Amino acid sequence: MKQTPLEKKVLDNFKPGKISKDGFLGYDTRHIHDIIKEDLLTLSRMGVEVEIIADRLQHFIEEGKKGLETKVDLGDFTVQIAWDRGLLPCPFGEPRLHHKIIATLYNKKLDKEIKYSQLNVHMIREHGFFEGKASRFRLEPEDLFEVLEIKNT
Ligand SMILES: [Zn+2]
């Protein structure tokens, strides 16, 4: 996972209206690095690597794509993706664009749903970033662990 110091210009990308209408931080006023550090600590306590979570999230996006934009039944889960036109940059600023895909994943047994974007998967995998508290697409590591049914080995 890359850990690059964030410059002021890059930090602006996380604010509302820059890349995403709602921004990536919610009411969270902590530095991005502190948000990342805390979530990675939570993950290490659970014994899970970011790659495991990102792989699982990506798996469900790929399954969702097969249904185009209709709901796909996967037995214990259903997944539905919405795919908007255009591409999004990552707020961390590297020159790479991401599809505007949003997945709604429902875990039938738990009766719990999570919603996440393709950009979320990228940010988790490459930056260890789950977004700030109460941001629209904030993903709690504990929720992901539970809903994705990740077994630590
Ligand atoms: Zn990135």
Side-chain angles (χ1 to χ4, degrees), residues 36-60:
I36 292 172
K37 210 193 288 171
E38 193 180 317
D39 286 332
L40 292 183
L41 199 64
T42 303
L43 286 182
S44 78
R45 259 189 250 116
M46 297 187 298
V48 188
E49 309 272 327
V50 284
E51 289 79 10
I52 303 281
I53 290 187
D55 285 350
R56 192 92 171 121
L57 290 170
Q58 190 62 43
H59 162 76
F60 285 114

Short mmCIF file of all heavy atoms in Angstrom, two decimals, residues 36-60:
data_model
loop_
_atom_site.label_atom_id
_atom_site.label_comp_id
_atom_site.label_asym_id
_atom_site.label_seq_id
_atom_site.Cartn_x
_atom_site.Cartn_y
_atom_site.Cartn_z
N ILE A 36 -6.80 7.08 8.28
CA ILE A 36 -6.26 5.83 7.72
C ILE A 36 -5.62 4.99 8.82
O ILE A 36 -5.87 3.79 8.93
CB ILE A 36 -5.24 6.14 6.60
CG1 ILE A 36 -5.95 6.76 5.40
CG2 ILE A 36 -4.45 4.89 6.20
CD1 ILE A 36 -5.03 7.27 4.30
N LYS A 37 -4.84 5.66 9.67
CA LYS A 37 -4.12 4.94 10.72
C LYS A 37 -5.10 4.22 11.64
O LYS A 37 -4.91 3.06 12.00
CB LYS A 37 -3.26 5.94 11.52
CG LYS A 37 -2.01 5.30 12.10
CD LYS A 37 -1.34 6.17 13.14
CE LYS A 37 -0.64 7.39 12.56
NZ LYS A 37 -0.17 8.35 13.59
N GLU A 38 -6.17 4.91 12.03
CA GLU A 38 -7.12 4.31 12.95
C GLU A 38 -7.83 3.11 12.32
O GLU A 38 -8.02 2.07 12.96
CB GLU A 38 -8.15 5.34 13.41
CG GLU A 38 -8.94 4.82 14.60
CD GLU A 38 -9.99 5.80 15.11
OE1 GLU A 38 -9.66 7.00 15.19
OE2 GLU A 38 -11.12 5.35 15.40
N ASP A 39 -8.23 3.26 11.05
CA ASP A 39 -8.93 2.14 10.40
C ASP A 39 -8.00 0.94 10.19
O ASP A 39 -8.42 -0.20 10.32
CB ASP A 39 -9.52 2.60 9.06
CG ASP A 39 -10.74 3.48 9.27
OD1 ASP A 39 -11.43 3.31 10.30
OD2 ASP A 39 -11.03 4.33 8.41
N LEU A 40 -6.75 1.23 9.88
CA LEU A 40 -5.81 0.12 9.69
C LEU A 40 -5.54 -0.61 11.00
O LEU A 40 -5.35 -1.82 11.04
CB LEU A 40 -4.50 0.62 9.07
CG LEU A 40 -4.61 1.10 7.62
CD1 LEU A 40 -3.25 1.50 7.07
CD2 LEU A 40 -5.25 0.05 6.71
N LEU A 41 -5.58 0.15 12.10
CA LEU A 41 -5.42 -0.45 13.42
C LEU A 41 -6.61 -1.38 13.72
O LEU A 41 -6.43 -2.49 14.21
CB LEU A 41 -5.35 0.67 14.46
CG LEU A 41 -4.76 0.32 15.82
CD1 LEU A 41 -3.29 -0.06 15.66
CD2 LEU A 41 -4.90 1.51 16.78
N THR A 42 -7.81 -0.89 13.38
CA THR A 42 -9.01 -1.72 13.56
C THR A 42 -8.88 -3.01 12.75
O THR A 42 -9.16 -4.09 13.25
CB THR A 42 -10.26 -0.94 13.09
OG1 THR A 42 -10.33 0.28 13.81
CG2 THR A 42 -11.53 -1.75 13.32
N LEU A 43 -8.43 -2.88 11.52
CA LEU A 43 -8.27 -4.06 10.67
C LEU A 43 -7.25 -5.03 11.25
O LEU A 43 -7.47 -6.24 11.26
CB LEU A 43 -7.83 -3.66 9.26
CG LEU A 43 -8.86 -3.02 8.35
CD1 LEU A 43 -8.23 -2.74 7.00
CD2 LEU A 43 -10.08 -3.91 8.19
N SER A 44 -6.15 -4.50 11.74
CA SER A 44 -5.11 -5.39 12.24
C SER A 44 -5.62 -6.10 13.50
O SER A 44 -5.29 -7.25 13.74
CB SER A 44 -3.78 -4.67 12.45
OG SER A 44 -3.81 -3.92 13.63
N ARG A 45 -6.45 -5.41 14.30
CA ARG A 45 -7.06 -6.07 15.46
C ARG A 45 -7.95 -7.22 15.02
O ARG A 45 -8.06 -8.23 15.68
CB ARG A 45 -7.89 -5.06 16.27
CG ARG A 45 -7.16 -4.57 17.50
CD ARG A 45 -8.10 -3.75 18.39
NE ARG A 45 -7.75 -2.34 18.38
CZ ARG A 45 -8.50 -1.36 17.92
NH1 ARG A 45 -9.69 -1.60 17.43
NH2 ARG A 45 -8.07 -0.12 17.97
N MET A 46 -8.63 -7.03 13.89
CA MET A 46 -9.51 -8.08 13.38
C MET A 46 -8.72 -9.14 12.60
O MET A 46 -9.27 -10.16 12.21
CB MET A 46 -10.60 -7.48 12.47
CG MET A 46 -11.53 -6.51 13.21
SD MET A 46 -12.94 -5.95 12.19
CE MET A 46 -12.12 -5.09 10.86
N GLY A 47 -7.46 -8.84 12.33
CA GLY A 47 -6.63 -9.79 11.61
C GLY A 47 -6.93 -9.86 10.12
O GLY A 47 -6.87 -10.93 9.51
N VAL A 48 -7.28 -8.72 9.54
CA VAL A 48 -7.65 -8.68 8.12
C VAL A 48 -6.79 -7.68 7.37
O VAL A 48 -6.48 -6.60 7.88
CB VAL A 48 -9.13 -8.25 7.94
CG1 VAL A 48 -9.54 -8.40 6.50
CG2 VAL A 48 -10.04 -9.05 8.83
N GLU A 49 -6.39 -8.05 6.18
CA GLU A 49 -5.62 -7.15 5.32
C GLU A 49 -6.57 -6.37 4.43
O GLU A 49 -7.62 -6.88 4.06
CB GLU A 49 -4.69 -7.96 4.40
CG GLU A 49 -3.83 -8.98 5.10
CD GLU A 49 -2.53 -8.36 5.56
OE1 GLU A 49 -2.03 -7.45 4.86
OE2 GLU A 49 -2.03 -8.78 6.62
N VAL A 50 -6.19 -5.15 4.08
CA VAL A 50 -7.04 -4.35 3.18
C VAL A 50 -7.32 -5.07 1.87
O VAL A 50 -8.40 -4.97 1.31
CB VAL A 50 -6.48 -2.94 2.86
CG1 VAL A 50 -6.65 -2.00 4.02
CG2 VAL A 50 -5.05 -3.00 2.39
N GLU A 51 -6.30 -5.82 1.39
CA GLU A 51 -6.47 -6.51 0.10
C GLU A 51 -7.62 -7.52 0.15
O GLU A 51 -8.33 -7.71 -0.84
CB GLU A 51 -5.18 -7.22 -0.32
CG GLU A 51 -4.05 -6.31 -0.75
CD GLU A 51 -3.31 -5.68 0.42
OE1 GLU A 51 -3.54 -6.10 1.59
OE2 GLU A 51 -2.51 -4.75 0.19
N ILE A 52 -7.77 -8.18 1.29
CA ILE A 52 -8.83 -9.18 1.43
C ILE A 52 -10.19 -8.50 1.28
O ILE A 52 -11.08 -8.98 0.56
CB ILE A 52 -8.76 -9.86 2.83
CG1 ILE A 52 -7.40 -10.48 3.06
CG2 ILE A 52 -9.91 -10.85 3.00
CD1 ILE A 52 -7.16 -11.81 2.41
N ILE A 53 -10.34 -7.37 1.95
CA ILE A 53 -11.61 -6.63 1.88
C ILE A 53 -11.83 -6.10 0.47
O ILE A 53 -12.91 -6.24 -0.10
CB ILE A 53 -11.61 -5.48 2.91
CG1 ILE A 53 -11.69 -6.10 4.32
CG2 ILE A 53 -12.76 -4.51 2.66
CD1 ILE A 53 -11.86 -5.13 5.44
N ALA A 54 -10.78 -5.51 -0.12
CA ALA A 54 -10.91 -4.95 -1.47
C ALA A 54 -11.24 -6.05 -2.48
O ALA A 54 -12.09 -5.86 -3.35
CB ALA A 54 -9.63 -4.23 -1.87
N ASP A 55 -10.61 -7.20 -2.36
CA ASP A 55 -10.87 -8.31 -3.28
C ASP A 55 -12.33 -8.75 -3.19
O ASP A 55 -12.98 -9.02 -4.20
CB ASP A 55 -9.98 -9.52 -2.97
CG ASP A 55 -8.55 -9.31 -3.43
OD1 ASP A 55 -8.29 -8.32 -4.14
OD2 ASP A 55 -7.69 -10.13 -3.07
N ARG A 56 -12.82 -8.83 -1.97
CA ARG A 56 -14.20 -9.28 -1.75
C ARG A 56 -15.19 -8.24 -2.31
O ARG A 56 -16.16 -8.62 -2.97
CB ARG A 56 -14.39 -9.46 -0.24
CG ARG A 56 -15.64 -10.18 0.15
CD ARG A 56 -15.43 -11.68 0.28
NE ARG A 56 -16.63 -12.29 0.86
CZ ARG A 56 -17.35 -13.23 0.27
NH1 ARG A 56 -16.98 -13.72 -0.89
NH2 ARG A 56 -18.44 -13.71 0.85
N LEU A 57 -14.92 -6.98 -2.07
CA LEU A 57 -15.79 -5.92 -2.61
C LEU A 57 -15.78 -5.95 -4.12
O LEU A 57 -16.82 -5.82 -4.78
CB LEU A 57 -15.33 -4.54 -2.11
CG LEU A 57 -15.53 -4.24 -0.62
CD1 LEU A 57 -14.80 -2.95 -0.24
CD2 LEU A 57 -17.02 -4.11 -0.28
N GLN A 58 -14.57 -6.13 -4.70
CA GLN A 58 -14.46 -6.16 -6.15
C GLN A 58 -15.18 -7.38 -6.73
O GLN A 58 -15.84 -7.29 -7.76
CB GLN A 58 -12.98 -6.18 -6.58
CG GLN A 58 -12.77 -5.96 -8.07
CD GLN A 58 -13.27 -4.60 -8.53
OE1 GLN A 58 -13.04 -3.59 -7.87
NE2 GLN A 58 -13.99 -4.56 -9.65
N HIS A 59 -15.09 -8.49 -6.04
CA HIS A 59 -15.78 -9.71 -6.46
C HIS A 59 -17.28 -9.43 -6.65
O HIS A 59 -17.88 -9.82 -7.66
CB HIS A 59 -15.56 -10.82 -5.42
CG HIS A 59 -16.53 -11.95 -5.51
ND1 HIS A 59 -16.45 -12.92 -6.48
CD2 HIS A 59 -17.63 -12.25 -4.75
CE1 HIS A 59 -17.46 -13.78 -6.32
NE2 HIS A 59 -18.17 -13.40 -5.28
N PHE A 60 -17.88 -8.74 -5.69
CA PHE A 60 -19.31 -8.48 -5.79
C PHE A 60 -19.64 -7.46 -6.88
O PHE A 60 -20.70 -7.53 -7.50
CB PHE A 60 -19.88 -8.05 -4.43
CG PHE A 60 -20.03 -9.20 -3.47
CD1 PHE A 60 -19.27 -9.26 -2.32
CD2 PHE A 60 -20.91 -10.23 -3.74
CE1 PHE A 60 -19.39 -10.33 -1.43
CE2 PHE A 60 -21.05 -11.31 -2.86
CZ PHE A 60 -20.28 -11.36 -1.70
#
